[in-house]
């Protein structure tokens, strides 16, 4: 159930954010992702953090809608 929820949240976000999060969850380093995407490690870290914040925000909104509905 948790994996399905995570997959659903990743499908709803920009492709770059989803790709970075998937690769980080698979254990890939910031450096290897940055090199393959032509970005800096810092930018990859920022994209990862922004993507995680989006996932939390969407999950909270959905939970609030279910609770009030």
């Amino acid at each position: 159930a948790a994996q399905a929820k995570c997959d659903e949240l990743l499908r709803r976000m920009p492709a770059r954010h989803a790709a970075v999060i998937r690769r980080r969850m698979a254990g890939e380093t910031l450096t290897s992702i940055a090199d393959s995407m032509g970005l800096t490690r810092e930018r990859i870290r920022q994209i990862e953090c922004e993507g995680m914040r989006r996932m939390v925000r969407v999950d909270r909104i959905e939970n609030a809608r279910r609770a009030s509905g």
Side-chain angles (χ1 to χ4, degrees), residues 20 23-24 26-36 41 44:
V20 167
R23 291 173 73 175
R24 290 290 287 156
E28 210 169 325
T29 65
L30 292 173
T31 302
S32 66
I33 298 169
D35 289 346
S36 70
R41 287 179 308 175
I44 295 299

Side-chain angles (χ1 to χ4, degrees), residues 27-61:
E28 210 169 325
T29 65
L30 292 173
T31 302
S32 66
I33 298 169
D35 289 346
S36 70
M37 295 179 90
L39 300 169
T40 64
R41 287 179 308 175
E42 176 61 18
R43 184 64 186 130
I44 295 299
R45 189 195 62 74
Q46 291 169 354
I47 292 169
E48 179 185 19
C49 289
E50 184 180 330
M52 296 301 282
R53 279 194 304 272
R54 285 176 185 232
M55 288 176 73
V56 169
R57 189 176 321 123
V58 168
D59 191 48
R60 285 183 181 161
I61 291 168

Side-chain angles (χ1 to χ4, degrees), residues 1-14 18 21-22 25 51 54-56 58-59 62 66:
Q3 182 66 41
K5 180 69 172 179
C6 186
D7 288 340
E8 174 61 28
L9 292 171
L10 286 170
R11 275 194 294 276
R12 296 167 131 193
M13 71 175 53
I21 291 172
R22 281 189 179 99
M25 290 172 75
R54 285 176 185 232
M55 288 176 73
V56 169
V58 168
D59 191 48
E62 289 177 353
R66 278 194 296 275

